Amino acid sequence: MTGTIPTPTTFITENCAMPFCKGCGHTHVLRKLNDALMKLQIPPSKVNLVTDIGCIGLADALFETPHTVHTTHGRSTAFATGIELADSVLSDSKLKTVVLIGDGGAMIGLLHLVNAALLNVDVTVLLCNNFLFGMTGGQHSAFSPMEFITPTTPDGNIIPPIDMCRVMLDARAEFVARKLATDKDLGDVLAEAIQHPGFSLVEIVELCTEHATTKNELTGNAIRSVIEEQGQEFGILTNEKNRAEFGVLYADKNPRDQAFSASQKDDGLIPQFESKLKHQVGIVIAGSAGERVQSAAKKLCEAAVMSRLHCTQKNDNPVTQGSGFSLAEVILSPHDIFYTGIETPDAVIVVSEDGLNELYEKHVFDRLKPTTMLLIDSSLPKPHTDANIIEYPFRKEYGGAKAALKAIELYVQQSGLFPVEAFQTS
Ligand code: SF4
């Protein structure tokens, strides 16, 4: 049966109430973004909106059908870059990722914008510049014009505003535009930017009716001249296609089929064993830095993958990588793993004093159940716990460098998670 993707009739939720103050430029921007997406007719499942903190960050709740990601302040472009890299390197490179960020967030995350432009990832940034931090009370931003009055510049701003379009041009961005939120052709320019293969940025100058107009003689009509007086231009400032987007360059260097088969072969992670595991288990492994604790945990994960299980591994050690404790938390599951933390471990493996002390620090022993298997080196004092304790002289028999490895092997044998051969093969 062949299916057809229905043509979207709107991307923004029909008849939704805009959450912004009356006259706020964000309302225009979102309606024009909807126009642009409608014009391009991209399937909603191939549209990804990444929003920042600030009033513009309310946008994602208004778009029901595309993917939406709400991020931390200033980091939306970094998230979008990561999403786009994953899409271009690991998937079909069809996602259209659009960032909605304010002028406050754009300055906080300036390096992310520069980086995205240099990489030339297929991300479109809509930079909504209303000259201030609207959501937090109207404080000035790096985009505030000279003499602009805000709670943080009560006598008028004395710092010249940044020209972000110029910064983007210097970062080799090939589509850069500056528009007013009220421009009739804004939707067309946004469509052009989104369609552009590679990085694009549209700075949209708009009015914060709540904060920008109370102490400043500013109107929707006047903001054009404010921008022009500071030597900044409107319009499409560049629209070139000289540089290939990152995904294309990467694919040229790393053809997908070859890269995949090579990594499969090198890692040896071809499923060849069966596991009896029916539910998710969490295993905490603790020892000393330099004694291969984390690499032994990685071997456990590889054995699990070879036994058709899902797994995650989180490592922890002090800043001084070569001394002190070394910790690994491994989750194994026959199903997808949605949370990588371990509240109550099913097994704890401790092979050195550093590891034991760290587990005390983290109050791990207080959280063990009678069903938890605690494998501990015989040289260590036994903690007071409800867990089922199994002692073994791992260090004496195998030395510190192999203690964790041998303890994990014993755990695999005792637990019967999967054949011990899987661990020995990995
Ligand atoms: S505070 Fe300013 S930016 Fe925020 S919704 Fe109101 S007018 Fe818009």
Side-chain angles (χ1 to χ4, degrees), residues 377-393:
D377 191 84
S378 307
S379 64
L380 300 172
K382 309 301 155 290
H384 293 290
T385 168
D386 293 337
N388 171 28
I389 299 180
I390 300 174
E391 289 181 64
Y392 195 87

Side-chain angles (χ1 to χ4, degrees), residues 41-52:
Q41 284 292 300
I42 307 167
S45 63
K46 293 294 176 191
V47 176
N48 177 35
L49 303 181
V50 183
T51 60
D52 213 271

Side-chain angles (χ1 to χ4, degrees), residues 19-26 54-56 58 130 132-135 206-212:
F20 311 113
C21 307
K22 193 170 174 207
C24 175
H26 293 346
C55 297
I56 194 63
L58 299 171
N130 57 16
L132 48 73
F133 286 81
M135 186 173 261
E206 52 170 279
L207 205 56
C208 169
T209 46
E210 178 67 16
H211 299 298

